[in-house]
Amino acid sequence: MSGPLTGVRVVEMPGLGPTPHAAMLLADLGADVTRIRRPGAEPSGPDGIAGADAALYRSRRSVEADLKDPEDVSRVRELITRADIVIEGFRPGVMERLGLGPEICDVAPRLIYARMTGWGQEGDRARTAGHDINYLAVTGVLEAMGPIGSPPVPPLSLVGDFGGGSMLLVVGVLAALHDRERTGRGQVVDAAMVDGVGLLAQLQWSWKAAGRWVSRERGNLLDGTAPFYRTYRCADGRFVAVGALEETFWRNLIGVLGLADLPDRWDRAHWPVIGEALSARFAGRTRDDWVTAFDGVDACLTPVLDLDEAVADHDAVRRGSHVEVDGMVQAAPAPRFSRTPLPVPAPASAVDLTEVLSEWSAGSVDAVS
């Protein structure tokens, strides 16, 4: 085992989306993560496709436990007291009803108890269902996504579930681990996706205060409205991405395109005309033709690759940006460390709960002292 979190023990309670993703990130960093799994097959999503989330479970063991069985709950509780971290993503109150709530920290004062919710532990929405799109909607961030004249565009589940969810939770866990080194005590980490989404949008809040971010009816710099920061369809139906914000890159872009006589691009009234000119020019050649034309030119122009193309991209191959685990191509662990290289991802494995309890018995006194 390698990685900067080698020796750190994590219990992952059953969950979807940000909870297993956060546990995966900790496992990628070298932590020993044990996932609690309900008896039977893994649940399928709303589309009925079983096993679709399997790649989120890499590099850790899973144990079956029936959380309706008091004996199994007791064994899970014992496992948690032997851990450094527990991650749970239930609705507020569920862990308390199971007898696995934060009061467990009374007997395991070094435990870091990490909670992942959409709305937080309290408030009118706290016990209601939601998904990524809903958490974005109430923060003002979803309304800001998408160009003028189009409905707000959901950014997959990247911003709520993962950027504002699992990543925020992991930041909290790592900060709590650092604090425990200083104080010897753990604490509860309360991560809510609505909070994380707001933090991710800090630049937009700053721009709004400065007058750079305006109403949706006028369009904005990074929402796909500005002609120098959007995608363009090419002759073969594929796309290029243009991010020529700075003047040097813009001049290089229009120089290759042969569009030197365009009006002032910082006057929003000119954006439709400039956009039409660029659209017509890009539509005249294929995506790869344009990539060749811009080879060696600093214009912030790149091809829009699909997932299969991204895996084969020469820079991604050179960097080792993807790995294959149990027959599934997926993103490689990151970031990279000079002294504690990350372990190679491994397929998920199923073991018996008693096996992990026995293995974790060494050192458990320190965890509960």
Side-chain angles (χ1 to χ4, degrees):
M1 181 65 70
S2 59
L5 293 187
T6 295
V8 174
R9 296 167 173 172
V10 182
V11 174
E12 171 197 351
M13 298 301 292
L16 299 172
T19 306
H21 190 254
M24 183 201 79
L25 294 172
L26 295 175
D28 283 350
L29 293 172
D32 180 3
V33 182
T34 297
R35 184 170 67 94
I36 306 300
R37 179 168 56 86
R38 295 182 177 91
E42 295 286 1
S44 61
D47 54 8
I49 299 177
D53 296 345
L56 291 181
Y57 304 139
R58 73 186 186 196
S59 299
R60 54 199 192 272
R61 298 175 291 183
S62 67
V63 297
E64 267 194 5
D66 184 355
L67 298 181
K68 296 179 181 180
D69 181 339
E71 185 175 335
D72 273 7
V73 170
S74 178
R75 294 198 300 160
V76 170
R77 179 182 175 86
E78 183 180 357
L79 188 67
I80 291 173
T81 63
R82 299 182 184 185
D84 296 289
I85 303 160
V86 60
I87 295 176
E88 68 93 3
F90 292 120
R91 294 195 200 190
V94 172
M95 287 289 278
E96 285 83 351
R97 289 196 296 273
L98 291 170
L100 301 174
E103 68 277 1
I104 205 169
C105 297
D106 294 339
V107 296
R110 288 176 56 82
L111 178 68
I112 294 165
Y113 194 105
R115 320 197 78 170
M116 181 78 260
T117 60
W119 309 114
Q121 296 294 320
E122 299 175 347
D124 293 341
R125 296 189 177 101
R127 286 173 170 77
T128 63
H131 282 294
D132 188 285
I133 192 171
N134 307 114
Y135 309 134
L136 267 65
V138 301
T139 62
V141 172
L142 182 61
E143 196 274 343
M145 291 182 170
I148 185 172
S150 73
V153 180
L156 306 180
S157 55
L158 301 178
V159 176
D161 279 353
F162 303 125
S166 55
M167 291 294 189
L168 182 70
L169 187 72
V170 169
V171 167
V173 164
L174 296 180
L177 274 175
H178 175 74
D179 178 75
R180 193 179 73 174
E181 289 297 306
R182 183 174 58 88
T183 65
R185 299 186 64 83
Q187 59 185 303
V188 176
V189 177
D190 176 6
M193 284 178 253
V194 288
D195 297 338
V197 168
L199 284 174
L200 292 174
Q202 187 70 354
L203 180 64
Q204 277 64 47
W205 284 110
S206 182
W207 283 7
K208 184 176 186 297
R212 178 182 283 175
W213 196 268
V214 297
S215 68
R216 183 174 181 79
E217 289 74 19
R218 295 177 61 194
N220 279 289
L221 196 60
L222 304 181
D223 63 5
T225 300
F228 43 86
Y229 200 90
R230 68 166 74 162
T231 59
Y232 288 94
R233 184 185 295 272
C234 302
D236 54 357
R238 296 190 287 183
F239 294 85
V240 292
V242 170
L245 291 172
E246 291 80 5
E247 191 64 21
T248 296
F249 305 140
W250 173 245
R251 288 296 162 194
N252 290 343
L253 180 84
I254 61 177
V256 173
L257 294 176
L259 294 173
D261 296 327
L262 293 172
D264 177 15
R265 67 183 178 123
W266 293 112
D267 184 342
R268 291 171 191 253
H270 295 154
W271 283 1
V273 173
I274 297 173
E276 289 173 8
L278 267 65
S279 293
R281 189 57 54 92
F282 280 118
R285 299 171 68 176
T286 69
R287 183 196 70 181
D288 291 347
D289 282 344
W290 283 118
V291 170
T292 299
F294 279 91
D295 186 30
V297 179
D298 255 349
C300 295
L301 179 141
T302 50
V304 177
L305 306 179
D306 64 26
L307 292 175
D308 292 326
E309 289 176 313
V311 172
D313 179 69
H314 58 89
D315 281 330
V317 172
R318 183 183 300 113
R319 185 163 173 80
S321 298
H322 302 89
V323 294
E324 185 172 314
V325 181
D326 206 19
M328 290 180 283
V329 175
Q330 49 201 264
R336 301 170 189 209
F337 296 84
S338 64
R339 189 171 52 78
T340 54
L342 302 184
V344 176
S349 61
V351 298
D352 191 85
L353 179 52
T354 56
E355 179 181 334
V356 184
L357 280 169
S358 175
E359 183 183 317
W360 283 11
S361 61
S364 62
V365 174
D366 178 66
V368 300
S369 61

